[in-house]
Amino acid sequence: MSTMSDPTMISRWRLILGQSAETQLAGYSSEGNIQLSEEELIMDRALAAIYDNTDSAAEARGASSGQRGAGQGKSAPRLAQWLGDVRSFFPEDVVSIIQNDAMERKGWKQLLFEPEVLATVKPDIQLVGTLLSLKGKIPEKTKDTARLLVKAVVDELVERMQEDIRRAVTGALNRRQHTPLPSLSGIDWKRTIQRNLKNYDSDRRQIVPERFYYFDRAKRSKEWTVIVDIDQSGSMAESVIWASVIGSIFASIPSLDTRVVVFDTEVVDLTEQCANDPVDMLFGIQLGGGTDIHKSVAYCEQFIEEPKKTLFIIISDLYEGGNQAGLIRRMRELRESGVKTMCLLALSDEGKPFYDEGVAKSLSRDGTPCFACTPALLPQLVEGALKGQDLAELAKRLGTKGI
């Protein structure tokens, strides 16, 4: 407590503890009171608006009293000023926390419908999740601003992930370039038979080929099919955002035939929107509702032409409201046919999902590894899947929590 005689330390504690602690903290000051600088007063009002029940909180809300809840009408400009103060005086990571607390603790979500407010907030993935959950209520005058905010976050995520995913996919698909052995799947059987008919052995009733002919692998534009099947229930908001970004990156890789599907109790194919614009895809998602994973898997099966050249990724908390037994059976059959399957229980920086443990264990037992995956680790898991590695073992080596 000897350091409490330092005026700077006293001021910091005053900002942390709020106005209610001012009298007690003043006792540690040699002057008997606490003097906050003009900048500290602005910071104090910004914090009080969220964490105190004081008059400064009411002032920041633009309300006439200290009651909790969102203001109306003329409060929007004052909130915009408050958001500007927060961005001016706090680090970016702290800004995100304060903004999210404002939405949750003070019920300010409806004020995001004001263009001047949206233009002031710091774009982050949590705020995009909030906008997506409210998008059906956003008025026309605010939609363009909301779209710009979402686009800023999507562009940042694409820049963060694109190089790693492209490198992982390219590395996996090109791993056979240096082998002297041609691929059996690349044999041109018609040409090989025609050119070797002269070597037909009538006794053995077989053609003994002198040479095999192969298709030019470079001309095969789509070597793998990647299907991303996304649960759009409300608890998966952050994962949906990441998944749409990753789906758009997959779709931009020429060697992949990418399908992006979202589901609740209905199934919606967003492949075209994902390939053209991930922001359009996000605005095509409706967070919330029930869940029918079995129905979505059945829908996705139609896109599997070469099972051994298909990677099927489910992003879901696995709380199945449809046919649970049918889901487990279908996933087992996909694995047995040769499809590379994986289930991501969450796709977020935290990687701490809520999920149905029983379904996750059943899928894992049948060969579909289920794990909480942060976006940073996904490229390595995709590369491992395309190379035919044991994903459960790979996840352990990467330190990813698996089931």
Side-chain angles (χ1 to χ4, degrees):
M1 297 299 292
S2 60
T3 60
M4 285 298 292
S5 60
D6 180 0
T8 301
M9 184 63 70
I10 294 175
S11 296
R12 288 183 176 179
W13 276 108
R14 165 63 180 79
L15 291 173
I16 292 171
L17 298 176
Q19 189 176 12
S20 61
E22 186 165 326
T23 301
Q24 182 176 359
L25 290 171
Y28 293 99
S29 171
S30 58
E31 298 178 359
N33 57 38
I34 299 175
Q35 296 292 329
L36 296 180
S37 67
E38 182 177 352
E39 181 177 303
E40 287 172 336
L41 285 171
I42 295 174
M43 295 172 67
D44 184 49
R45 285 196 297 269
L47 293 172
I50 304 302
Y51 304 108
D52 286 1
N53 218 7
T54 62
D55 289 340
S56 58
E59 179 183 349
R61 287 197 306 271
S64 59
S65 68
Q67 294 179 348
R68 291 180 178 269
Q72 299 293 331
K74 295 181 180 179
S75 64
R78 294 203 180 188
L79 177 59
Q81 180 182 350
W82 172 84
L83 288 165
D85 291 342
V86 169
R87 294 187 67 177
S88 298
F89 296 108
F90 294 95
E92 286 195 6
D93 55 343
V94 177
V95 171
S96 293
I97 294 172
I98 295 175
Q99 282 183 176
N100 290 327
D101 283 348
M103 300 303 115
E104 298 302 323
R105 295 165 67 103
K106 296 297 181 179
W108 288 354
K109 289 181 180 179
Q110 63 266 39
L111 292 181
L112 290 176
F113 301 158
E114 298 292 337
E116 62 267 34
V117 173
L118 270 186
T120 311
V121 299
K122 175 188 178 295
D124 61 37
I125 196 166
Q126 289 82 13
L127 193 59
V128 169
T130 300
L131 284 174
L132 293 181
S133 67
L134 299 172
K135 66 182 177 65
K137 303 175 183 177
I138 296 177
E140 288 297 326
K141 67 176 182 178
T142 313
K143 284 184 178 179
D144 288 343
T145 308
R147 182 180 177 82
L148 290 175
L149 187 149
V150 173
K151 186 177 187 304
V153 173
V154 168
D155 289 347
E156 179 185 344
L157 298 183
V158 169
E159 182 178 358
R160 173 175 168 182
M161 292 291 293
Q162 183 166 278
E163 185 177 347
D164 288 341
I165 289 181
R166 284 181 174 274
R167 186 187 303 114
V169 171
T170 302
L173 297 183
N174 290 345
R175 71 190 188 279
R176 292 183 295 271
Q177 283 186 347
H178 304 293
T179 176
L181 298 177
S183 170
L184 180 63
S185 62
I187 293 179
D188 182 344
W189 288 106
K190 183 177 180 180
R191 190 179 183 195
T192 297
I193 292 171
Q194 288 176 341
R195 294 295 180 90
N196 289 283
L197 284 174
K198 61 183 179 181
N199 299 316
Y200 179 73
D201 187 327
S202 57
D203 294 333
R204 298 166 61 183
R205 304 184 67 180
Q206 291 180 345
I207 293 175
V208 182
E210 291 180 350
R211 178 184 175 185
F212 287 89
Y213 293 84
Y214 298 86
F215 292 110
D216 183 356
R217 290 181 58 83
K219 293 181 180 178
R220 296 180 60 193
S221 59
K222 306 293 183 182
E223 292 196 45
W224 275 76
T225 296
V226 176
I227 302 171
V228 185
D229 194 20
I230 308 167
D231 184 343
Q232 61 175 349
S233 59
S235 61
M236 299 295 293
E238 190 170 337
S239 291
V240 165
I241 297 166
W242 275 112
S244 72
V245 170
I246 289 165
S248 69
I249 296 172
F250 283 152
S252 69
I253 300 176
S255 54
L256 300 180
D257 179 15
T258 303
R259 309 293 310 189
V260 178
V261 174
V262 298
F263 65 89
D264 43 32
T265 54
E266 299 298 327
V267 180
V268 180
D269 194 325
L270 295 177
T271 300
E272 185 175 346
Q273 292 95 316
C274 178
N276 295 332
D277 186 350
V279 177
D280 276 346
M281 176 187 163
L282 282 173
F283 277 98
I285 285 174
Q286 182 62 57
L287 294 173
T291 308
D292 193 335
I293 312 173
H294 173 259
K295 187 175 183 178
S296 73
V297 174
Y299 174 84
C300 291
E301 285 181 348
Q302 66 182 298
F303 305 116
I304 301 174
E305 297 180 357
E306 293 185 67
K308 294 182 180 180
K309 290 288 186 178
T310 301
L311 173 60
F312 184 46
I313 305 173
I314 293 182
I315 302 175
S316 174
D317 54 19
L318 296 179
Y319 285 106
E320 172 67 307
N323 186 342
Q324 187 178 111
L327 167 65
I328 294 170
R329 174 182 55 78
R330 281 187 181 275
M331 292 301 296
R332 180 172 60 248
E333 290 174 351
L334 287 180
R335 285 288 299 179
E336 290 173 348
S337 72
V339 175
K340 309 294 189 298
T341 60
M342 70 170 78
C343 177
L344 305 180
L345 302 169
L347 199 57
S348 66
D349 288 326
E350 291 77 19
K352 298 177 181 178
F354 296 99
Y355 60 93
D356 189 309
E357 293 188 20
V359 175
K361 288 179 179 178
S362 294
L363 293 180
S364 296
R365 183 186 62 242
D366 290 340
T368 296
C370 302
F371 31 72
C373 175
T374 61
L377 294 179
L378 183 61
Q380 297 174 72
L381 291 172
V382 170
E383 182 177 11
L386 297 179
K387 288 182 175 179
Q389 297 178 1
D390 185 320
L391 293 185
E393 289 300 321
L394 177 59
K396 290 180 182 178
R397 292 201 302 272
L398 295 175
T400 299
K401 182 180 179 182
I403 305 302

